[in-house]
Amino acid sequence: MPSVLIVDDEEAIRRLIRSTLEQAGYHVREAADGKAGLSHYRQSPADLVSMDILMPDQDGLESILTLLRKFPHARII
């Protein structure tokens, strides 16, 4: 089953994306900020990462750059 990691600081957005993707047959994990998203990805890489850009602590752009430096084949939207 393909997996998606949703990284977004807004719980309602994560819940909406999760519901839609699970109904389509995806395994979904969530993170509330960029640091948590990177930690989740390190533990178990997802097939796709959905990354919010504007987040507290570590924004999406910084998280994307870090993720791609460590995992150059990561797929991110």
Side-chain angles (χ1 to χ4, degrees):
M1 174 181 306
S3 62
V4 178
L5 172 60
I6 303 167
V7 185
D8 197 305
D9 60 320
E10 294 187 44
E11 184 179 349
I13 299 295
R14 290 194 318 267
R15 192 172 42 241
L16 175 66
I17 296 171
R18 172 187 273 281
S19 174
T20 302
L21 291 173
E22 285 180 338
Q23 288 178 16
Y26 292 89
H27 172 73
V28 179
R29 291 179 294 137
E30 300 178 24
D33 61 51
K35 287 182 182 180
L38 292 171
S39 177
H40 281 292
Y41 194 90
R42 276 189 209 104
Q43 292 173 8
S44 178
D47 296 309
L48 180 68
V49 178
S50 171
M51 181 78 68
D52 184 19
I53 298 300
L54 300 175
M55 294 184 287
D57 297 325
Q58 183 170 323
D59 69 28
L61 292 177
E62 184 180 349
S63 300
I64 289 169
L65 291 174
T66 302
L67 187 62
L68 288 175
R69 259 185 268 136
K70 296 181 182 202
F71 303 95
H73 299 294
R75 295 179 182 176
I76 306 166
I77 57 170

